[in-house]
Amino acid sequence: MDKKVEAIVLFDGVCNLCNGFVNWVIDRDPKAKVMFGSLQSEEAKWLLSKFGESPDYLDSIVAIKNDKLYKNSRAVLEICLTIGGVYKLMGVFLIVPNFIRDAVYKWVARNRYKWFGKSESCRIPTPELKSRFL
């Protein structure tokens, strides 16, 4: 990873909720500490395999930080910790047992297409954001 990039976020490129989360992170990460990639991309499939995940994994946002892969609620919390500022306060949720955080996360993830919809294709970054995507 580039020295200024502290984390990579892999997201479901056709999920409107996931795309909204990516937009939210971009808006709060002016130092560009986070880089993004669609889970459907070849680069993401390679990264997933490198960390022992199925290259077809689409169940959750994935964060790769400090050479570790995080999924589900922990991925979201790691992203918030990375962008810093007031969002570091989200780290307080690490005291909530993983099985509780992940139960809520997985419930939303199971219903994300029904509640937020699905795009026909993966997000294509604007020219000014292209360098932030794998």
Side-chain angles (χ1 to χ4, degrees):
M1 279 191 283
D2 185 303
K3 289 188 191 261
K4 71 177 182 176
V5 174
E6 296 178 20
I8 296 174
V9 173
L10 304 177
F11 63 99
D12 181 352
V14 298
C15 169
N16 289 338
L17 175 62
C18 301
N19 279 297
F21 180 71
V22 168
N23 290 334
W24 183 87
V25 173
I26 288 169
D27 290 346
R28 285 152 184 83
D29 182 28
K31 294 183 180 175
K33 297 186 222 175
V34 180
M35 186 170 225
F36 305 92
S38 164
L39 284 164
Q40 290 88 346
S41 72
E42 292 306 313
E43 295 90 345
K45 291 173 187 277
W46 180 84
L47 284 167
L48 289 168
S49 295
K50 176 184 170 191
F51 286 96
E53 273 302 325
S54 166
D56 298 322
Y57 183 81
L58 292 172
D59 294 341
S60 157
I61 281 188
V62 173
I64 299 172
K65 182 177 172 184
N66 298 326
D67 209 32
K68 290 184 183 175
L69 183 139
Y70 301 97
K71 300 186 302 188
N72 303 319
S73 64
R74 182 64 186 258
V76 173
L77 294 176
E78 289 296 332
I79 296 162
C80 289
L81 291 169
T82 300
I83 59 177
V86 70
Y87 305 103
K88 272 189 166 182
L89 295 175
M90 294 294 289
V92 75
F93 287 105
L94 289 170
I95 64 171
V96 176
N98 194 46
F99 75 93
I100 294 172
R101 288 191 330 257
D102 281 352
V104 173
Y105 182 96
K106 289 176 181 179
W107 176 66
V108 172
R110 271 192 313 274
N111 292 289
R112 70 188 187 269
Y113 295 146
K114 181 171 44 171
W115 296 342
F116 299 97
K118 192 174 177 179
S119 299
E120 291 297 317
S121 61
C122 292
R123 171 193 178 113
I124 298 180
T126 62
E128 49 282 345
L129 290 177
K130 195 165 180 75
S131 66
R132 305 249 342 241
F133 286 79
L134 299 176

